Amino acid sequence: LQPLHHAAAKWYDRRDSVFVEFCVEDSKDVQVKFAKTKVDFSCTSGTDNITHQNTVELFGVIVPEESKYRRTDRSVLCCLRKEEVGKSWPRLTKDKAKCNWLSVDFINWKDWEEDSDEDLSSFDKFSDMMNTMGGDDLPDLDGAEEEVSL
């Protein structure tokens, strides 16, 4: 039996959803379970079939039936629908303790509480795109980064 590893994850907050991206390349057997106050994520990756598992006790309450995820070759992006739209989450987790596998996605972070209505329309378009997308055809959301080979 192999030890479990936490998948590295980034998150950001929006008016009606919270996005969490689990950064696992070439993931297989992806399982994401949404509950009102937590998310369970697991998958295997790599030629060694390393098992990644994360359980996130959420800061706020989500609507599990309206939450979804998309797998790409580089990550699994989860869109968590907030139960209380318009309430910002100062952090992803219920506990204030720092998770060493979790970071804020500063590229996508926006201080939306001061947004005007025009800014919202572009988010609605993104929301619609998430809703209408099929399987693995997610656009490369992290196009701002150059691919770095170590």
Side-chain angles (χ1 to χ4, degrees), residues 3-146:
L4 296 175
H5 299 269
H6 284 120
K10 303 183 291 194
W11 80 284
Y12 61 99
D13 184 36
R14 288 291 199 264
R15 186 175 301 273
D16 62 357
S17 301
V18 173
F19 291 87
V20 184
E21 185 175 15
F22 293 100
C23 305
V24 180
E25 293 198 6
D26 300 323
S27 57
K28 301 182 282 283
D29 306 322
V30 173
Q31 294 190 349
V32 182
K33 295 189 184 85
F34 299 109
K36 282 176 106 41
T37 57
K38 79 174 181 177
V39 174
D40 284 307
F41 168 81
S42 68
C43 71
T44 56
S45 72
T47 49
D48 302 336
N49 284 325
I50 294 168
T51 301
H52 300 274
Q53 192 164 355
N54 300 57
T55 296
V56 185
E57 297 285 343
L58 298 170
F59 171 81
V61 178
I62 63 167
V63 182
E65 308 76 44
E66 294 181 23
S67 299
K68 35 175 100 50
Y69 70 93
R70 293 282 179 262
R71 186 204 155 276
T72 68
D73 290 340
R74 298 181 64 183
S75 65
V76 177
L77 179 67
C78 301
C79 172
L80 313 178
R81 178 66 70 173
K82 292 179 181 177
E83 188 176 85
E84 224 177 312
V85 171
K87 184 173 196 287
S88 69
W89 290 22
R91 60 184 181 276
L92 178 65
T93 56
K94 186 168 72 170
D95 293 332
K96 284 187 174 163
K98 177 107 177 74
C99 299
N100 56 6
W101 52 266
L102 181 65
S103 62
V104 170
D105 185 346
F106 287 107
I107 292 171
N108 288 304
W109 189 272
K110 264 177 76 172
D111 205 359
W112 54 260
E113 291 172 295
E114 294 143 24
D115 275 358
S116 66
D117 289 341
E118 299 104 67
D119 294 338
L120 278 177
S121 64
S122 63
F123 173 70
D124 291 338
K125 287 183 192 115
F126 179 75
S127 229
D128 292 344
M129 184 183 81
M130 280 293 285
N131 291 336
T132 56
M133 273 172 9
D136 288 346
D137 58 347
L138 186 69
D140 189 7
L141 294 178
D142 50 1
E145 301 171 4
E146 289 296 321

